[in-house]
């Protein structure tokens, strides 16, 4: 009788645990809970045994393994930044919800010179490139953009040139 009771308790424990979804983050952490919904850039879930809804940005998540079915859903591929040469891999994010689950590193800044011969579009691209290069030097695959400012003509400088300034915060897994 003891063996049957022990086996029944073990089975119930296994069955209850099998219902838990597992969220695998790119930093190696595994979060257990229940996935409520997947949105375009975020995943809403509840920790196992809790009622409060929590959110992770999809960029922090590698995959989800659903407890009921065992189905594996790949979410995003990990972006590896090995230095300045990988600047083109850096992703600029514009919403705070997208960084949930990532770690803040430091502020980054990219700007064009006060006197330059860039049109508005090329100045914008040059400032963005400088922003991404600075983030890549810190090993950050993501930037949360916090400012994007362009000045043109007399309001820019006495020579009537233009300047683009972009600011953001670098994030890692």
């Amino acid at each position: 009788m003891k063996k049957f009771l022990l086996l029944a308790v073990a089975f119930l424990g296994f069955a209850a645990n099998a219902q838990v979804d597992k969220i695998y983050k790119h930093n190696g952490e595994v979060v257990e809970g229940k996935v409520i919904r997947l949105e375009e850039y975020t995943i809403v879930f509840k920790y196992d045994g809790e009622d409060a809804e929590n959110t992770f940005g999809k960029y922090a998540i590698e995959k989800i393994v659903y407890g009921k079915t065992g189905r594996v859903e790949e979410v995003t591929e990990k972006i590896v930044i090995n230095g300045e040469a990988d600047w083109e891999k850096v992703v600029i994010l514009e919403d705070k919800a997208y960084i949930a689950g990532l770690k803040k590193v430091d502020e980054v800044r990219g700007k064009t010179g006060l006197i330059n011969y860039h049109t508005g579009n090329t100045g914008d691209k040059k400032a963005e490139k400088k922003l991404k290069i600075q983030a890549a030097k810190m090993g950050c695959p993501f930037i949360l953009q916090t400012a994007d400012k362009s000045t043109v003509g007399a309001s820019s400088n006495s020579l009537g040139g233009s300047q683009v300034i972009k600011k953001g915060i670098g994030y890692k897994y």
Side-chain angles (χ1 to χ4, degrees), residues 106-112 114 126-135 137-138 143-144 146-147 149 163-170:
D106 202 1
E107 187 171 299
V108 291
R109 183 178 166 153
K111 68 177 186 170
T112 58
L114 284 172
K126 185 169 182 140
E128 183 176 298
K129 179 179 178 180
K130 287 182 177 182
L131 189 72
K132 287 182 172 187
I133 288 172
Q134 193 174 0
K137 283 180 182 177
M138 296 186 309
I143 300 169
L144 175 64
T146 57
K149 179 181 170 188
Q163 183 177 35
V164 177
I165 301 171
K166 293 181 179 282
K167 293 181 184 178
I169 301 169

Side-chain angles (χ1 to χ4, degrees), residues 32-44:
E32 293 186 353
K34 177 70 178 152
V35 174
I36 306 301
R37 66 184 169 278
L38 275 75
E39 297 176 348
E40 188 173 359
Y41 293 101
T42 59
I43 295 168
V44 179

Side-chain angles (χ1 to χ4, degrees), residues 99-118:
I99 60 162
L102 298 173
K103 291 183 180 146
K104 180 179 178 178
V105 176
D106 202 1
E107 187 171 299
V108 291
R109 183 178 166 153
K111 68 177 186 170
T112 58
L114 284 172
I115 301 172
N116 63 68
Y117 301 103
H118 297 289

Side-chain angles (χ1 to χ4, degrees), residues 57-91:
K58 282 189 174 180
Y59 291 108
I61 307 300
E62 175 189 351
K63 65 183 176 181
I64 301 169
V65 178
Y66 294 97
K68 275 187 178 179
T69 63
R71 181 173 67 91
V72 177
E73 183 169 354
E74 300 293 330
V75 180
T76 60
E77 287 187 32
K78 186 172 187 174
I79 300 170
V80 178
I81 304 291
N82 293 315
E84 184 178 337
D86 290 333
W87 71 269
E88 290 180 280
K89 296 179 184 178
V90 175
V91 177

